[in-house]
Amino acid sequence: STQSTGFDSIENLPIQTMILSLKDGITRTELDQLIAHIKESVPLSVWDYESSMKPFNDTSKGLNYFFNITTMIAMLISFFSLMSSMFTNVYEQTKEIAVLRALGIPKFWMYRIYIYEAFVLVLSSALLGVLIGCVVSYTMTLQQVLFTQLPVPFAFPWTVLITVFLCSVFFSVLAAFLPIYRLLKQSVVQIFRVVV
C-alpha cells in the first residue's frame, strides 16, 4: 500500500491543516505552553480560536453592560411617570381612603393595595415590552440568517430581563409607597378635609 500512495511513513504525509480539540478544564497557561511547544517542534503557524474570539467576547460584554444601563435609565424614567400617576390616583381617591380608614382598615393593608397596583402596572408593561422586543429581535435574526445564509443564533437577554424585574419591584414599591405614606400619616379627619 505504500507504493500505491507514494508515502513510506506517516511523517511524510503532507498535512495542511490540523484541528486539535483540547480536554475540558485546561488553563490558559497550559494552552500557551502547548502552543509554544508545537511552534518549537514543527515550523507551522498556530491559530487559537479563544484568542481570536476574545475581542468579540469583550464587545459582547460591553454591549450587555450598555443595554443593562439603558434599561435602568428607561425604568427610572418610567418610575417618575408612575410616581406622578400614583400621586394623582391616590389624591383622587382620598375620600375612599378616608372612608376605608374610618371603617378600621389598617394602614398596612392600604400600603399593600397601592403597592400591588403599581407592581402589576410596572411588571405587566415591562414584560409586554420584553415580549415585543423578543418578537422583533427574533424576526430580525431570521432576516439576517436569510440574507447572509449563516447560522446566527438567537440569544435571549437574561440579564436585561433580571434587571427589568428587579427594577420594577423596587420602583413600583417606591412609587406607590411615597404618595400613600404622605396621605396616611394624617388622621382620618384630616384626610376627609383634603380638597382634590
Side-chain angles (χ1 to χ4, degrees):
S1 64
T2 57
Q3 293 175 356
S4 62
T5 58
F7 302 109
D8 57 352
S9 170
I10 193 167
E11 293 176 356
N12 294 331
L13 285 173
I15 299 175
Q16 185 177 2
T17 305
M18 184 169 50
I19 299 172
L20 299 177
S21 179
L22 303 173
K23 63 181 180 181
D24 291 336
I26 190 168
T27 63
R28 184 69 212 178
T29 309
E30 293 172 336
L31 181 61
D32 290 338
Q33 289 173 353
L34 177 65
I35 291 172
H37 180 67
I38 291 172
K39 284 183 176 179
E40 287 173 5
S41 305
V42 185
L44 51 81
S45 62
V46 177
W47 178 75
D48 181 15
Y49 174 77
E50 188 177 331
S51 298
S52 63
M53 288 303 292
K54 190 175 186 307
F56 296 108
N57 292 336
D58 292 343
T59 305
S60 178
K61 275 186 187 175
L63 281 173
N64 280 340
Y65 287 132
F66 172 74
F67 287 139
N68 283 336
I69 291 169
T70 306
T71 302
M72 291 176 74
I73 291 171
M75 293 296 288
L76 189 65
I77 292 168
S78 66
F79 161 71
F80 289 116
S81 174
L82 180 67
M83 174 87 87
S84 171
S85 65
M86 287 305 292
F87 261 111
T88 305
N89 189 22
V90 165
Y91 279 95
E92 281 178 355
Q93 296 179 357
T94 48
K95 300 297 183 225
E96 291 89 345
I97 292 170
V99 168
L100 290 172
R101 289 289 294 127
L103 290 173
I105 301 293
K107 287 183 181 181
F108 176 72
W109 281 24
M110 300 301 295
Y111 290 135
R112 204 169 62 179
I113 289 168
Y114 284 95
I115 286 171
Y116 285 172
E117 179 183 347
F119 179 71
V120 167
L121 280 172
V122 171
L123 190 64
S124 60
S125 59
L127 289 178
L128 191 62
V130 168
L131 180 68
I132 291 169
C134 282
V135 169
V136 170
S137 66
Y138 185 70
T139 55
M140 290 181 71
T141 302
L142 289 178
Q143 185 180 22
Q144 194 173 7
V145 168
L146 184 67
F147 289 147
T148 61
Q149 295 296 315
L150 294 172
V152 180
F154 174 72
F156 187 81
W158 290 106
T159 55
V160 173
L161 182 68
I162 292 168
T163 305
V164 165
F165 180 75
L166 293 177
C167 286
S168 65
V169 170
F170 176 72
F171 287 144
S172 63
V173 169
L174 196 61
F177 181 77
L178 293 176
I180 195 71
Y181 173 76
R182 190 173 169 187
L183 188 68
L184 289 181
K185 70 180 181 180
Q186 304 174 29
S187 67
V188 176
V189 177
Q190 287 175 321
I191 297 174
F192 269 117
R193 288 179 181 163
V194 171
V195 178
V196 180

